[in-house]
Coordinates of all heavy atoms in Angstrom, one line a residue:
S15 N 0.8 -1.2 0.0 CA 0.0 0.0 0.0 C 0.9 1.3 0.0 O 1.9 1.3 0.6 CB -0.9 0.0 1.2 OG -1.4 1.2 1.5
S16 N 0.4 2.3 -0.7 CA 1.2 3.5 -0.8 C 1.4 4.2 0.5 O 2.4 4.7 0.8 CB 0.5 4.4 -1.8 OG 1.3 5.4 -2.2
S17 N 0.3 4.2 1.4 CA 0.4 4.9 2.7 C 1.4 4.2 3.6 O 2.2 4.9 4.3 CB -0.9 5.0 3.3 OG -1.5 3.8 3.5
I18 N 1.5 2.9 3.5 CA 2.5 2.1 4.3 C 3.9 2.4 3.8 O 4.8 2.7 4.6 CB 2.2 0.6 4.3 CG1 0.9 0.4 5.1 CG2 3.3 -0.2 4.9 CD1 0.4 -1.0 5.0
R19 N 4.0 2.4 2.5 CA 5.3 2.7 1.9 C 5.8 4.1 2.3 O 6.9 4.4 2.6 CB 5.3 2.6 0.4 CG 6.6 2.8 -0.3 CD 6.7 2.4 -1.7 NE 5.5 3.0 -2.5 CZ 4.9 2.3 -3.4 NH1 5.2 1.1 -3.7 NH2 3.9 2.9 -4.0
R20 N 4.8 5.1 2.3 CA 5.2 6.5 2.7 C 5.7 6.5 4.1 O 6.6 7.2 4.5 CB 4.0 7.4 2.5 CG 3.8 7.9 1.2 CD 2.7 8.9 1.1 NE 2.0 8.8 -0.1 CZ 0.7 8.5 -0.3 NH1 -0.1 8.4 0.8 NH2 0.2 8.4 -1.5
A21 N 5.0 5.8 5.0 CA 5.3 5.8 6.4 C 6.7 5.2 6.6 O 7.5 5.7 7.4 CB 4.3 5.0 7.2
I22 N 7.0 4.1 5.9 CA 8.4 3.5 6.0 C 9.4 4.5 5.5 O 10.5 4.6 6.1 CB 8.4 2.2 5.1 CG1 7.5 1.1 5.8 CG2 9.8 1.6 5.0 CD1 7.2 -0.1 5.0
I23 N 9.2 5.2 4.4 CA 10.1 6.1 3.8 C 10.3 7.3 4.8 O 11.4 7.7 5.1 CB 9.6 6.7 2.5 CG1 9.7 5.5 1.4 CG2 10.5 7.9 2.0 CD1 9.0 5.9 0.1
L24 N 9.2 7.7 5.4 CA 9.3 8.8 6.4 C 10.1 8.4 7.6 O 11.0 9.2 8.1 CB 7.9 9.3 6.8 CG 7.8 10.5 7.7 CD1 8.3 11.7 6.9 CD2 6.3 10.8 8.0
V25 N 9.9 7.2 8.1 CA 10.8 6.8 9.2 C 12.2 6.7 8.8 O 13.1 7.1 9.6 CB 10.2 5.4 9.8 CG1 11.2 4.8 10.7 CG2 8.9 5.6 10.4
D26 N 12.5 6.2 7.6 CA 13.9 6.1 7.1 C 14.5 7.5 7.1 O 15.7 7.6 7.5 CB 13.9 5.4 5.8 CG 15.3 5.2 5.3 OD1 16.0 4.3 5.8 OD2 15.8 6.0 4.4
I27 N 13.8 8.4 6.6 CA 14.3 9.8 6.5 C 14.6 10.4 7.9 O 15.6 11.0 8.1 CB 13.4 10.7 5.7 CG1 13.3 10.3 4.2 CG2 13.8 12.2 5.8 CD1 12.3 10.9 3.4
D28 N 13.7 10.1 8.8 CA 13.9 10.6 10.2 C 15.1 9.9 10.8 O 15.8 10.6 11.6 CB 12.6 10.3 11.0 CG 12.6 11.0 12.3 OD1 12.7 12.2 12.3 OD2 12.6 10.3 13.4
Q29 N 15.3 8.7 10.5 CA 16.5 8.0 11.1 C 17.8 8.3 10.4 O 18.8 8.1 11.0 CB 16.2 6.5 11.1 CG 15.1 6.0 12.0 CD 14.8 4.5 11.9 OE1 15.2 3.9 10.9 NE2 14.1 4.0 12.8
N30 N 17.7 8.9 9.2 CA 18.9 9.2 8.4 C 18.8 10.6 7.9 O 18.7 10.8 6.7 CB 19.0 8.2 7.3 CG 19.2 6.8 7.7 OD1 20.2 6.4 8.2 ND2 18.1 6.0 7.7
P31 N 18.7 11.6 8.8 CA 18.6 13.0 8.3 C 19.6 13.4 7.3 O 20.8 13.1 7.5 CB 18.7 13.9 9.6 CG 19.0 13.0 10.7 CD 19.0 11.6 10.2
G32 N 19.2 14.1 6.3 CA 20.2 14.5 5.2 C 20.4 13.4 4.2 O 21.3 13.6 3.3
T33 N 19.6 12.4 4.3 CA 19.8 11.3 3.3 C 19.4 11.7 1.9 O 18.7 12.7 1.7 CB 19.0 10.1 3.7 OG1 19.4 8.9 2.9 CG2 17.5 10.3 3.6
S34 N 19.9 11.0 0.9 CA 19.5 11.2 -0.4 C 18.5 10.2 -0.9 O 18.4 9.1 -0.3 CB 20.8 11.1 -1.3 OG 21.2 9.7 -1.3
P35 N 17.8 10.4 -2.0 CA 16.9 9.4 -2.5 C 17.6 8.1 -2.8 O 17.1 7.0 -2.6 CB 16.3 10.1 -3.8 CG 16.4 11.5 -3.4 CD 17.6 11.7 -2.7
T36 N 18.9 8.2 -3.3 CA 19.6 7.0 -3.6 C 19.9 6.2 -2.4 O 19.7 5.0 -2.4 CB 21.0 7.4 -4.3 OG1 20.7 8.2 -5.4 CG2 21.8 6.2 -4.6
G37 N 20.2 6.8 -1.3 CA 20.4 6.1 0.0 C 19.1 5.4 0.4 O 19.2 4.3 0.9
I38 N 18.0 6.1 0.2 CA 16.7 5.4 0.6 C 16.4 4.2 -0.3 O 16.0 3.2 0.1 CB 15.5 6.4 0.5 CG1 15.7 7.6 1.5 CG2 14.2 5.7 0.7 CD1 14.8 8.7 1.3
M39 N 16.7 4.4 -1.6 CA 16.5 3.3 -2.6 C 17.3 2.1 -2.2 O 16.8 0.9 -2.2 CB 16.8 3.7 -4.0 CG 15.8 4.6 -4.6 SD 16.1 5.0 -6.4 CE 17.7 5.5 -6.4
E40 N 18.6 2.3 -1.8 CA 19.4 1.2 -1.4 C 19.0 0.6 -0.1 O 19.0 -0.7 0.0 CB 20.9 1.7 -1.3 CG 21.5 2.1 -2.6 CD 22.8 2.9 -2.4 OE1 23.2 3.1 -1.3 OE2 23.4 3.2 -3.5
R41 N 18.6 1.3 0.9 CA 18.2 0.8 2.2 C 16.9 0.0 2.1 O 16.7 -1.0 2.8 CB 18.2 1.9 3.3 CG 19.5 2.3 3.7 CD 19.4 3.3 4.9 NE 18.7 4.5 4.6 CZ 19.2 5.6 4.1 NH1 20.5 5.6 3.8 NH2 18.5 6.7 3.9
L42 N 15.9 0.6 1.4 CA 14.6 0.0 1.4 C 14.2 -0.8 0.1 O 13.1 -1.3 0.1 CB 13.6 1.2 1.5 CG 13.7 2.0 2.8 CD1 12.6 3.1 2.9 CD2 13.7 1.2 4.1
D43 N 15.1 -0.8 -0.8 CA 14.9 -1.6 -2.1 C 13.6 -1.1 -2.8 O 12.7 -1.9 -3.0 CB 14.9 -3.1 -1.8 CG 15.0 -3.9 -3.1 OD1 15.6 -3.4 -4.1 OD2 14.4 -5.0 -3.1
I44 N 13.5 0.2 -3.0 CA 12.3 0.8 -3.6 C 12.8 1.3 -5.0 O 13.8 1.9 -5.1 CB 11.7 1.9 -2.8 CG1 11.2 1.4 -1.4 CG2 10.6 2.7 -3.5 CD1 10.7 2.4 -0.5
H45 N 11.9 1.1 -6.0 CA 12.2 1.6 -7.4 C 12.2 3.1 -7.4 O 11.4 3.7 -6.7 CB 11.2 1.0 -8.3 CG 11.6 1.2 -9.8 ND1 11.3 2.3 -10.5 CD2 12.3 0.4 -10.6 CE1 11.8 2.2 -11.7 NE2 12.4 1.0 -11.8
K46 N 13.1 3.7 -8.2 CA 13.2 5.1 -8.3 C 11.9 5.8 -8.6 O 11.6 6.9 -8.0 CB 14.3 5.5 -9.3 CG 14.6 6.9 -9.4 CD 15.7 7.2 -10.4 CE 16.0 8.7 -10.4 NZ 17.1 9.0 -11.3
S47 N 11.1 5.4 -9.5 CA 9.9 6.1 -9.9 C 8.9 6.1 -8.7 O 8.3 7.1 -8.5 CB 9.3 5.5 -11.2 OG 8.9 4.1 -10.9
A48 N 8.8 5.0 -8.0 CA 7.9 4.9 -6.9 C 8.4 5.8 -5.8 O 7.6 6.5 -5.1 CB 7.8 3.5 -6.4
L49 N 9.7 5.8 -5.5 CA 10.3 6.7 -4.5 C 10.1 8.1 -4.8 O 9.7 8.9 -3.9 CB 11.7 6.4 -4.3 CG 12.4 7.2 -3.2 CD1 11.8 6.9 -1.8 CD2 13.9 7.0 -3.2
T50 N 10.3 8.5 -6.0 CA 10.1 9.9 -6.4 C 8.7 10.4 -6.2 O 8.4 11.5 -5.7 CB 10.5 10.1 -7.9 OG1 11.8 9.7 -8.1 CG2 10.3 11.6 -8.4
R51 N 7.7 9.5 -6.5 CA 6.3 9.9 -6.3 C 6.0 10.0 -4.8 O 5.3 11.0 -4.4 CB 5.5 8.7 -6.9 CG 4.0 8.9 -7.0 CD 3.3 7.9 -7.8 NE 3.7 6.5 -7.5 CZ 4.4 5.7 -8.3 NH1 4.7 6.2 -9.5 NH2 4.7 4.5 -8.0
E52 N 6.5 9.1 -4.0 CA 6.3 9.2 -2.6 C 7.0 10.4 -1.9 O 6.4 11.1 -1.1 CB 6.7 7.9 -1.9 CG 6.1 6.7 -2.4 CD 4.5 6.7 -2.3 OE1 3.9 7.6 -1.8 OE2 4.0 5.6 -2.7
I53 N 8.2 10.7 -2.4 CA 8.9 11.9 -1.9 C 8.2 13.2 -2.2 O 8.0 14.1 -1.4 CB 10.4 12.0 -2.4 CG1 11.2 10.9 -1.7 CG2 11.0 13.3 -2.2 CD1 12.6 10.7 -2.2
D54 N 7.7 13.3 -3.5 CA 6.9 14.4 -3.9 C 5.6 14.6 -3.0 O 5.3 15.7 -2.5 CB 6.4 14.3 -5.3 CG 7.6 14.5 -6.3 OD1 8.6 15.0 -5.9 OD2 7.4 14.2 -7.5
W55 N 4.9 13.5 -2.7 CA 3.8 13.5 -1.8 C 4.1 14.0 -0.4 O 3.5 14.9 0.1 CB 3.1 12.1 -1.8 CG 1.8 12.1 -1.1 CD1 0.6 12.2 -1.7 CD2 1.5 12.1 0.3 NE1 -0.4 12.2 -0.8 CE2 0.1 12.1 0.5 CE3 2.3 12.0 1.4 CZ2 -0.5 12.1 1.7 CZ3 1.7 12.0 2.7 CH2 0.3 12.0 2.8
L56 N 5.2 13.4 0.2 CA 5.6 13.8 1.5 C 6.0 15.3 1.6 O 5.7 16.0 2.5 CB 6.8 12.9 2.0 CG 6.4 11.4 2.3 CD1 7.7 10.6 2.4 CD2 5.6 11.3 3.5
F57 N 6.7 15.7 0.5 CA 7.1 17.2 0.4 C 5.8 18.1 0.3 O 5.7 19.0 1.0 CB 8.0 17.4 -0.7 CG 8.4 18.8 -0.9 CD1 9.4 19.4 -0.1 CD2 7.8 19.6 -1.9 CE1 9.7 20.7 -0.2 CE2 8.2 20.9 -2.1 CZ 9.2 21.5 -1.2
N58 N 4.9 17.7 -0.6 CA 3.7 18.5 -0.8 C 2.8 18.6 0.4 O 2.1 19.6 0.6 CB 2.9 18.0 -2.0 CG 3.6 18.2 -3.3 OD1 4.5 19.1 -3.4 ND2 3.4 17.4 -4.3
Y59 N 2.9 17.6 1.3 CA 2.1 17.6 2.5 C 2.8 18.1 3.7 O 2.3 18.0 4.8 CB 1.4 16.2 2.7 CG 0.2 16.0 1.9 CD1 0.3 15.5 0.6 CD2 -1.1 16.4 2.3 CE1 -0.8 15.4 -0.2 CE2 -2.2 16.2 1.5 CZ -2.0 15.7 0.3 OH -3.2 15.6 -0.5
G60 N 4.0 18.6 3.5 CA 4.8 19.3 4.6 C 5.4 18.3 5.6 O 5.7 18.7 6.7
C61 N 5.6 17.0 5.1 CA 6.2 16.0 6.0 C 7.8 16.1 6.0 O 8.4 15.7 6.9 CB 5.8 14.6 5.6 SG 4.0 14.4 5.7
I62 N 8.3 16.5 4.8 CA 9.8 16.5 4.7 C 10.2 17.8 4.0 O 9.4 18.5 3.4 CB 10.3 15.3 3.8 CG1 9.7 15.4 2.4 CG2 10.0 14.0 4.5 CD1 10.3 14.3 1.5
M63 N 11.5 18.1 4.2 CA 12.1 19.3 3.5 C 13.2 18.7 2.6 O 13.7 17.7 2.8 CB 12.8 20.2 4.5 CG 11.9 20.9 5.5 SD 12.8 22.1 6.5 CE 14.2 21.1 7.2
R64 N 13.4 19.4 1.5 CA 14.4 19.1 0.5 C 15.4 20.3 0.5 O 15.0 21.4 0.5 CB 13.9 18.9 -0.9 CG 12.9 17.8 -1.0 CD 12.6 17.6 -2.5 NE 11.3 18.1 -2.8 CZ 10.5 17.7 -3.8 NH1 11.0 16.8 -4.6 NH2 9.3 18.2 -4.0
Q65 N 16.7 20.0 0.4 CA 17.6 21.1 0.2 C 18.8 20.5 -0.6 O 19.1 19.3 -0.6 CB 18.1 21.6 1.5 CG 19.0 20.7 2.4 CD 19.4 21.4 3.7 OE1 18.7 22.2 4.2 NE2 20.6 21.1 4.2
E66 N 19.5 21.4 -1.3 CA 20.6 21.0 -2.1 C 21.7 20.6 -1.2 O 21.9 21.2 -0.1 CB 21.1 22.2 -3.0 CG 20.2 22.5 -4.1 CD 20.8 23.6 -5.0 OE1 22.0 24.0 -4.8 OE2 20.1 24.0 -5.9
S67 N 22.5 19.6 -1.6 CA 23.6 19.2 -0.8 C 24.7 20.2 -0.8 O 25.0 20.8 -1.8 CB 24.1 17.8 -1.4 OG 25.4 17.5 -0.8
N68 N 25.4 20.4 0.3 CA 26.6 21.3 0.4 C 27.7 20.7 -0.4 O 28.6 21.4 -0.8 CB 27.0 21.5 1.8 CG 25.9 22.3 2.6 OD1 25.2 23.1 2.0 ND2 25.8 22.1 3.9
H69 N 27.8 19.3 -0.5 CA 28.9 18.7 -1.2 C 28.7 18.5 -2.7 O 29.7 18.5 -3.4 CB 29.1 17.3 -0.5 CG 29.1 17.3 1.0 ND1 30.2 17.9 1.6 CD2 28.3 16.9 1.9 CE1 30.0 17.8 2.9 NE2 28.8 17.2 3.1
D70 N 27.5 18.4 -3.1 CA 27.2 18.2 -4.5 C 25.9 18.9 -4.9 O 24.8 18.5 -4.5 CB 27.0 16.7 -4.8 CG 26.8 16.3 -6.2 OD1 26.5 17.3 -7.1 OD2 26.8 15.1 -6.6
G71 N 26.0 20.0 -5.7 CA 24.9 20.8 -6.0 C 23.8 20.1 -6.8 O 22.7 20.6 -6.9
R72 N 24.1 18.9 -7.4 CA 23.1 18.2 -8.1 C 22.3 17.3 -7.2 O 21.2 16.9 -7.6 CB 23.8 17.3 -9.2 CG 24.6 18.1 -10.2 CD 25.4 17.2 -11.0 NE 26.4 16.6 -10.1 CZ 27.2 15.5 -10.4 NH1 27.1 15.0 -11.5 NH2 28.1 15.1 -9.5
A73 N 22.8 17.0 -6.0 CA 22.1 16.1 -5.1 C 21.2 16.9 -4.1 O 21.4 18.0 -3.9 CB 23.1 15.3 -4.3
I74 N 20.2 16.2 -3.6 CA 19.3 16.8 -2.6 C 19.4 15.9 -1.3 O 19.6 14.7 -1.4 CB 17.8 16.9 -3.1 CG1 17.2 15.5 -3.4 CG2 17.7 17.8 -4.3 CD1 15.7 15.5 -3.5
E75 N 19.2 16.6 -0.2 CA 19.2 16.0 1.1 C 17.8 16.1 1.6 O 17.1 17.1 1.4 CB 20.2 16.7 2.0 CG 21.6 16.6 1.6 CD 22.6 17.4 2.4 OE1 22.1 18.2 3.3 OE2 23.8 17.1 2.3
L76 N 17.3 15.1 2.3 CA 15.9 15.0 2.8 C 15.9 15.0 4.3 O 16.8 14.3 4.9 CB 15.2 13.8 2.2 CG 15.2 13.7 0.7 CD1 14.7 12.3 0.3 CD2 14.3 14.8 0.1
M77 N 15.0 15.6 4.9 CA 14.8 15.5 6.4 C 13.4 15.8 6.7 O 12.6 16.4 6.0 CB 15.7 16.5 7.1 CG 15.6 18.0 6.7 SD 17.1 18.8 6.6 CE 17.8 18.2 5.2
T78 N 13.0 15.2 7.9 CA 11.6 15.4 8.3 C 11.4 16.8 8.9 O 12.4 17.4 9.3 CB 11.2 14.3 9.4 OG1 12.1 14.4 10.5 CG2 11.2 12.9 8.8
C79 N 10.2 17.2 8.9 CA 9.9 18.6 9.5 C 8.5 18.6 10.0 O 7.7 17.7 9.7 CB 10.1 19.6 8.4 SG 9.0 19.6 7.0
G80 N 8.1 19.7 10.6 CA 6.8 19.9 11.1 C 6.2 18.9 11.9 O 6.8 18.3 12.8
Y81 N 4.9 18.6 11.7 CA 4.1 17.7 12.5 C 4.7 16.3 12.4 O 4.6 15.5 13.3 CB 2.6 17.7 12.2 CG 2.3 17.1 10.9 CD1 2.0 15.8 10.7 CD2 2.2 17.9 9.7 CE1 1.7 15.2 9.5 CE2 1.9 17.4 8.5 CZ 1.7 16.1 8.4 OH 1.4 15.5 7.2
S82 N 5.2 15.9 11.2 CA 5.8 14.6 11.1 C 7.0 14.3 12.0 O 7.1 13.3 12.6 CB 6.1 14.3 9.6 OG 7.2 15.1 9.2
K83 N 7.8 15.3 12.1 CA 9.0 15.2 13.0 C 8.6 15.1 14.4 O 9.1 14.2 15.1 CB 9.9 16.4 12.8 CG 11.2 16.3 13.6 CD 12.2 17.3 13.2 CE 13.5 17.1 13.8 NZ 14.2 15.9 13.5
K84 N 7.6 15.9 14.9 CA 7.1 15.8 16.2 C 6.4 14.4 16.5 O 6.6 13.8 17.5 CB 6.1 16.9 16.5 CG 6.8 18.2 16.6 CD 5.8 19.3 16.9 CE 6.5 20.7 16.9 NZ 5.6 21.8 17.1
A85 N 5.7 13.9 15.5 CA 5.0 12.6 15.7 C 6.0 11.5 15.8 O 5.7 10.4 16.4 CB 4.0 12.4 14.5
L86 N 7.2 11.6 15.1 CA 8.2 10.5 15.1 C 9.1 10.6 16.4 O 9.8 9.6 16.6 CB 9.0 10.6 13.9 CG 8.2 10.2 12.6 CD1 9.0 10.6 11.4 CD2 8.0 8.7 12.6
E87 N 9.0 11.6 17.2 CA 9.9 11.7 18.3 C 9.4 10.9 19.5 O 8.3 10.5 19.6 CB 10.0 13.2 18.8 CG 10.7 14.0 17.8 CD 10.8 15.5 18.2 OE1 10.0 15.9 19.1 OE2 11.6 16.2 17.6

């Protein structure tokens, strides 16, 4: 189910702040297209933040924020 997959991705991001989508794909064995869709959903609903990596301008780093961060504490 998509909502379960989102929850698993959200927990992974919370446990690995600053992670990249590639890191999530490797840890959770999720296909890139499915992960992109779920990351977009989590971002649009204010569950995660995206920022450019300080080390590589092409990469993005993901972290939990807002109510999702508080709920995971």
